[in-house]
């Protein structure tokens, strides 16, 4: 694999992202050896990373996780085809046209470079070095979470040594998860509890840089995926109980940039509308699938407020489409509703039916639905999975990953893929390793089913 990046290019970006974090004047004139000798230039490196994450296709729009994973699952009815979208939709991704891999590894490389530079730095204010290191570890964990859930075993790259990275073999899923958990646990100790960062060359209350609770929220998700029920409960509870910062809000206000439900958002940096609003509302390449529409109960407010359309319903979680108005919405990455659903499932799986019921009720009441009357484990678990489907649709591939982690993917996709014009085969739950990467690294192996 080839991982190349110009540090000077990263720093050049910082002059255009002062809203995200006021990093001072661009520092592209400084030699790289001095970058981590200044609070301003060190902060600029992470600012450049978050700027790109807020502005590039891995997270949003027609190249983003929400769209591509929704196509892979049973969420969308494809209306506008291109080679990539059709291959994702029919579950026929080929090794020559694989999305997401390179960009995710690019972010990982930059996080690794930041961790190395910050570790070696001797002149930074300790609080600033601590916060920036926590941010870099969080980003690395976040990217690996998606890599390991989309591709299975992946190379665990934790340094910037090209000679080592270029020949790395794929790492067992359990080992990748161990690194994810380690990074997130360390991030919870390093990151601040608040969003206001006055001494980090910034004064902002916007939730566009990860804090301790963002790391805790992602850690709760990881523990759920690893069947660590008590750890998932503890991490989710730590976030949910922080009522001074987080709370559920009405459906119409969930995705606003000042939403109390937001745990971490990506700022809209080059436009005043989110890329997902542009994609789903203006371009409308997909409608909601029949199975998604039918999943909503009568009087579910989410169907009313989050699905819109006369000739076919399309995702409408983001409302702002007027590019001439100041941005009111940011792309939601982590939000409180997921934490309730994480805790509900973990509680039920560990035997706490009452607690699971209460967490599920929080989400149902917010949607205008009555408290569920289910009384035994199996229907309640089904209800929790149903609630995840209708609450988290078109967000961050939740449905695709849920189908896989709960062992429903083969049963569901056998029928769904046929209806989409494809033929489901069990190996298709994993995307193929890009052929271009395998040509660069002879030690990379292909996922089963995709071999030539």
């Amino acid at each position: 694999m080839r991982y190349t990046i110009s540090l000077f290019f990263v720093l050049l970006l910082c002059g255009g992202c002062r809203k995200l974090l006021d990093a001072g004047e661009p520092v592209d004139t400084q030699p790289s050896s001095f970058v981590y000798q200044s609070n301003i230039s060190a902060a600029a490196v992470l600012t450049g990373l978050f700027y790109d994450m807020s502005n590039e296709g891995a997270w949003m729009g027609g190249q983003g996780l929400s769209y591509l994973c929704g196509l892979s699952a049973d969420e969308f009815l494809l209306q506008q085809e291109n080679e990539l979208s059709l291959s994702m939709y029919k579950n026929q991704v080929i090794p020559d046209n694989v999305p997401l891999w390179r960009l995710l590894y690019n972010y990982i490389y930059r996080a690794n470079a930041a961790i190395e530079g910050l570790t070696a730095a001797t002149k930074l204010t300790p609080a600033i070095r601590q916060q920036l290191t926590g941010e870099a570890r969080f980003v690395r964990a976040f990217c690996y979470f998606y890599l390991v859930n989309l591709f299975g075993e992946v190379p665990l790259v934790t340094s910037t040594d090209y000679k080592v990275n270029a020949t790395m073999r794929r790492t067992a899923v359990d080992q990748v998860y161990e690194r994810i958990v380690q990074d997130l646990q360390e991030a919870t100790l390093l990151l601040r509890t608040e969003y206001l960062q006055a001494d980090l060359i910034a004064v902002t209350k916007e939730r566009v840089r990860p804090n301790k609770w963002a790391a805790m929220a992602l850690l709760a998700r990881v523990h759920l995926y690893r069947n660590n029920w008590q750890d998932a409960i503890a991490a989710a509870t730590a976030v949910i109980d922080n009522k001074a910062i987080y709370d559920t809000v009405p459906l119409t206000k969930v995705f606003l940039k000042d939403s109390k439900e937001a745990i971490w958002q990506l700022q809209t940096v080059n436009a005043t509308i989110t890329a997902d609003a542009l994609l789903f509302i203006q371009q409308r390449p997909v409608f909601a699938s029949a199975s998604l529409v039918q999943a909503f109960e009568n009087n579910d407010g989410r169907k009313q407020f989050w699905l819109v359309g006369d000739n076919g319903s399309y995702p409408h979680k983001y409302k702002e489409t007027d590019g001439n108005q100041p941005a009111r919405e940011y792309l939601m990455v982590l939000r409180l509703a997921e934490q309730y659903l994480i805790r509900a499932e973990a509680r039920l799986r560990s035997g706490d039916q009452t607690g699971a019921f209460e967490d599920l009720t929080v989400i149902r009441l917010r949607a205008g639905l009555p408290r569920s009357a289910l009384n035994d484990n199996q229907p309640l678990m089904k209800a929790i999975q149903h609630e995840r489907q209708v609450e988290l649709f078109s967000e961050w591939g939740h449905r695709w990953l849920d189908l896989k982690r709960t062992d429903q993917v083969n049963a569901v996709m056998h029928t769904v893929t046929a209806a989409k014009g494809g033929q489901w085969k069990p190996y298709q739950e994993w995307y193929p390793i890009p052929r271009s990467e395998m040509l660069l690294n002879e030690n990379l192996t292909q996922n089963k089913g995709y071999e030539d």
Side-chain angles (χ1 to χ4, degrees):
M1 288 173 290
R2 182 176 300 167
Y3 306 101
T4 59
I5 186 170
S6 168
L7 179 59
F8 297 136
F9 174 73
V10 174
L11 299 177
L12 276 167
L13 291 172
C14 296
C17 48
R18 298 174 68 89
K19 284 176 62 183
L20 185 70
L21 173 68
D22 188 350
E25 295 303 314
V27 292
D28 52 291
T29 57
Q30 296 185 27
S32 58
S33 59
F34 293 114
V35 168
Y36 292 100
Q37 302 302 309
S38 159
N39 289 339
I40 293 176
S41 57
V45 174
L46 271 298
T47 297
L49 177 55
F50 285 112
Y51 178 91
D52 282 349
M53 292 178 71
S54 301
N55 195 43
E56 292 181 342
W59 313 127
M60 60 199 75
Q63 297 287 321
L65 275 158
S66 297
Y67 179 58
L68 296 176
C69 292
L71 287 172
S72 293
D74 59 347
E75 291 190 311
F76 298 148
L77 178 64
L78 184 62
Q79 299 295 304
Q80 300 173 22
E81 299 177 1
N82 58 42
E83 182 180 0
L84 176 59
S85 66
L86 190 61
S87 70
M88 302 293 288
Y89 186 63
K90 291 187 175 183
N91 303 107
Q92 296 174 346
V93 184
I94 61 174
D96 292 323
N97 191 16
V98 182
L100 303 172
W101 175 286
R102 178 158 292 193
L103 199 53
L104 289 172
Y105 269 113
N106 184 293
Y107 295 149
I108 288 170
Y109 179 92
R110 292 167 67 172
N112 289 340
I115 292 169
E116 291 175 359
L118 290 163
T119 301
T122 59
K123 297 183 179 180
L124 300 181
T125 301
I128 291 180
R129 180 168 64 175
Q130 177 175 311
Q131 172 71 18
L132 296 176
T133 302
E135 290 180 353
R137 288 190 175 277
F138 174 87
V139 168
R140 184 167 69 182
F142 186 79
C143 292
Y144 270 123
F145 172 81
Y146 279 100
L147 281 167
V148 79
N149 277 284
L150 297 177
F151 297 96
E153 295 183 349
V154 294
L156 184 58
V157 178
T158 58
S159 78
T160 59
D161 188 333
Y162 174 75
K163 292 181 179 179
V164 173
N165 296 344
T167 59
M168 287 194 71
R169 301 177 184 276
R170 297 170 70 181
T171 305
V173 168
D174 286 345
Q175 288 182 256
V176 178
Y177 265 116
E178 286 174 7
R179 171 58 67 174
I180 292 171
V181 170
Q182 180 182 338
D183 275 346
L184 290 175
Q185 288 175 336
E186 292 188 20
T188 62
L189 300 176
L190 294 169
L191 292 168
R192 297 166 180 231
T193 58
E194 72 279 5
Y195 291 98
L196 184 65
Q197 301 179 31
D199 62 335
L200 191 61
I201 327 298
V203 180
T204 177
K205 293 184 179 179
E206 294 183 347
R207 303 177 177 209
V208 295
R209 299 292 281 259
N211 64 359
K212 172 180 179 176
W213 310 115
M216 194 70 75
L218 184 55
L219 188 59
R221 182 195 296 178
V222 169
H223 283 314
L224 182 74
Y225 275 55
R226 302 305 289 162
N227 301 338
N228 299 326
W229 312 129
Q230 294 304 319
D231 289 335
I233 292 168
T237 299
V239 180
I240 291 169
D241 285 353
N242 196 347
K243 299 295 186 182
I245 304 178
Y246 307 112
D247 204 353
T248 55
V249 299
L251 295 173
T252 54
K253 297 183 178 180
V254 170
F255 297 92
L256 296 178
K257 67 179 184 180
D258 57 353
S259 169
K260 281 198 75 173
E261 183 155 334
I263 300 172
W264 181 42
Q265 296 176 306
L266 289 175
Q267 185 181 18
T268 303
V269 294
N270 278 337
T272 58
I273 60 176
T274 65
D276 276 11
L278 180 65
L279 177 75
F280 290 125
I281 301 175
Q282 293 191 348
Q283 298 172 356
R284 299 185 198 175
V286 294
F287 288 147
S289 67
S291 62
L292 174 57
V293 174
Q294 293 166 6
F296 289 92
E297 300 168 58
N298 293 334
N299 301 317
D300 190 328
R302 291 167 295 197
K303 184 176 181 181
Q304 175 185 353
F305 294 114
W306 291 354
L307 283 177
V308 174
D310 296 328
N311 299 319
S313 298
Y314 53 88
H316 204 274
K317 288 183 169 179
Y318 299 93
K319 311 297 183 185
E320 299 298 316
T321 58
D322 185 352
N324 296 316
Q325 299 296 321
R328 297 181 63 241
E329 298 172 332
Y330 287 161
L331 192 72
M332 187 74 75
V333 188
L334 299 171
R335 62 185 180 98
L336 190 63
E338 183 197 358
Q339 297 301 302
Y340 277 104
L341 293 171
I342 287 172
R343 192 171 69 175
E345 181 175 341
R347 279 176 162 176
L348 185 59
R349 291 188 185 277
S350 61
D352 182 4
Q353 184 173 340
T354 300
F357 178 85
E358 292 304 318
D359 283 337
L360 185 63
T361 296
V362 171
I363 304 304
R364 290 181 59 81
L365 291 179
R366 196 264 295 274
L369 296 172
R371 295 168 63 92
S372 174
L374 300 172
N375 294 313
D376 58 86
N377 278 10
Q378 190 58 41
L380 185 53
M381 183 60 70
K382 184 177 180 180
I384 292 170
Q385 297 305 322
H386 165 267
E387 213 63 38
R388 289 183 65 91
Q389 180 183 13
V390 295
E391 176 72 26
L392 301 173
F393 74 91
S394 74
E395 291 184 57
W396 295 91
H398 281 292
R399 175 62 174 172
W400 179 236
L401 301 191
D402 280 345
L403 288 174
K404 298 200 298 179
R405 73 177 180 84
T406 59
D407 296 324
Q408 300 178 71
V409 65
N410 288 321
V412 171
M413 296 309 299
H414 177 78
T415 301
V416 169
T417 304
K420 294 192 291 187
Q423 182 180 5
W424 176 257
K425 298 178 181 178
Y427 72 81
Q428 293 167 332
E429 70 171 297
W430 303 110
Y431 296 155
I433 306 302
R435 192 186 309 276
S436 58
E437 300 300 324
M438 295 179 66
L439 291 174
L440 293 170
N441 179 1
E442 63 181 13
N443 290 327
L444 272 182
T445 56
Q446 185 56 270
N447 277 326
K448 292 182 179 180
Y450 295 104
E451 301 95 336
D452 292 333

